[in-house]
Amino acid sequence: MTTPPRSLDRLIRPRSIAVFGGKEARRVIEQCDRMGFAGKIWPVHPREEEILGRRCYRSVADLPEAPDASFVGVNRALTIEIIRDLAARGAGGAVCYASGFREAASELADGNDLQEALVTAAGDMPIVGPNCYGFINMLDGALLWPDQHGMLRVESGVAILTQSSNIACNISMQKRGLPLAYVMTAGNQAQTGLSDIACAVIEDPRVTAVGLHIEGFDSVAALERLAARARELRKPVVTLKVGKSEAARLATVSHTASLAGNDRVSSALLARLGIGRVDTLPELLETLKLLHLHGPLASADISSMSCSGGEASLMADAGVRREVNFRALKDEQRQPLRESLGDMVTIANPLDYHTFVWGNRERQTAAFTAMMRGGYALNLIVLDFPRLDRCHAEDWVTTCDAVIDSAKATGAVAGIVASLGENMPEETALSLMAAGVVPFFGIDEALAAAETAAAIGAAWAHPAPPPLIKAAAAGGDAITLTEAEAKAELFAAGVAVPKGETAGTPKEAADAAEILGFPVVLKGLGVAHKTEAGAVRLNLTNREEVLAAAEAMASVASGYLVERMIAKPVAELIVGAMRDPVAGPVLTIGAGGILVELLDDSAILTLPATEAMIEAAIDGLKVRKLLDGYRGAPKGDVAALIKTVAAAASYVVANAPKIEELDINPIMVLPDGHGAVAADALIRRRK
């Protein structure tokens, strides 16, 4: 996929629109008229004289001038002809509505060929699709959209982009109070990918944040550009990336691929770029509300207040599943809370303020203000509203007013959370948004929004990452180096390895052991999983033991590696690398040795990686407790571990085109000051 060299500005913010086709084209005109599009609209039809009061033109050549945007709603073959004519005329871009291209290649033999022909016809004119509805621009009332939608004109708002036209329709119908500036579809992304479109809409000063529903990454380079520009403009991007259930795994001879997994690499890639990730459409919309009003959060510290212990418990339990922190109250908050709420309320976070102040705006404001002065990044008040068609809501409005008063008085970020999404009326959500208070539909969704906004804030607080490796994979067959060969290469790159010698016979192995000095380790060469094959023996203390061990593994080994025995480590870790089809070479760090699969304790790093990134990954592992000196045990040499991982990462970067897999398992982390040593290593690379 290529990035269109011509700007998308004319296409997505047009002053003139041409429409081609029958009923779909008519609907585009209807939607533009309904939303007050102020530009020119030119229908093109071979037989009709006029459509909706507008003169019809017979062809692209008959149009008064080159249109900024075109909706091409004709069959797939005619689409290619019209796109070719538009490109020749100098049009700003087009939406290709027709299906039957690459998405239908398994049913239509010419699907791939037609898509290639479409891209060729477009040349450097941007096209969106094919097989897509187009887009809705509610800032200008420009809708290249052949269907209903539920949106209203806005002065500012978020942009949501998706490959799926149906999901775009669903999003347009939301009743959550989220101001939608753009809803856009990309379809097949034949020429212009989702990230390309996002790079264009984020430049609109009226767009506050961008949401992406991603089925598959279109271009990592475009995604990097989007992330960099988002950081510069302080406009956060959040994604709903599907694919967690993907079962396919590469066939490997190491543990690394099973630890990584394509979806985990996607998460690591997005985290590296400072792009948030959520799991559901409701989470996407709720996160965008928070980002629209307040941008990324300064931390994951949040507060919660409710008038029910049950709601406080729901909030606390939901927080366990999220990277949020219900930080304890500050001492200076306690007395004001006690004075406003009375002696019978337990002062805590989450806080159940009971019903003693219910309906009392002054006392509620005092309580909420005291909580919001605690320095939390986000302050939540749980409040489910009554049905407005059957009940009255005066006291709930009072609580809303108190939250608004407190947020204004403190300058804090505040949100009101309905534990059940349907218990937040749309008109209430809209009024809260207008007042700068986030109306959250659902506790889990609110905490997902807090977690995601805090993650983006944390990423932006650090320097932007270096560009990803762009090296293409080399050709040729993959070969597996012997352990001795792999260790020699890693040692040259700065990875510490045990002192050792190779041998071809049991006698040579015994001779080498005597030269090295006992105790030693004996390993059979040419064996991938040595422990399972009986091709490794530890702590051999004399020549006879080495001879016996070598003779026992002679049937499975092509030779021997004799090494000095490493002292007892504080912890064992694995460092591996594999080639991801999207992100390129990626590094895995985790609990190693026999605990690799047992603990499921690992982190993924896209490359290149700085020592700070490596240290942060290690800090997030469960095995970090061992490195810190668990239950009185000595501390591990974390500094040496970081240097070792950095050296391995540099080796992978330097050999990026050739590397297929790297597996260093285990790295023996010795007591502080004594280093970290690669006890075993495997490298597969192209010749």
Side-chain angles (χ1 to χ4, degrees), residues 304-318 344-346 348-356 382-383 419 443:
S304 172
M305 299 182 74
S306 61
C307 65
S308 159
E311 291 170 341
S313 297
L314 287 175
M315 185 68 81
D317 285 353
M344 296 180 65
V345 172
T346 300
N349 180 29
L351 188 151
D352 166 20
Y353 62 83
H354 294 228
T355 57
F356 304 124
V382 182
L383 188 67
S419 64
I443 289 174

Side-chain angles (χ1 to χ4, degrees), residues 253 478-483 485 528 661 682-685:
V253 296
I479 60 171
T480 302
L481 304 187
T482 67
E483 181 181 344
E485 292 169 336
E661 286 185 79
L682 177 146
I683 294 175
R684 289 182 70 239
R685 68 181 183 198

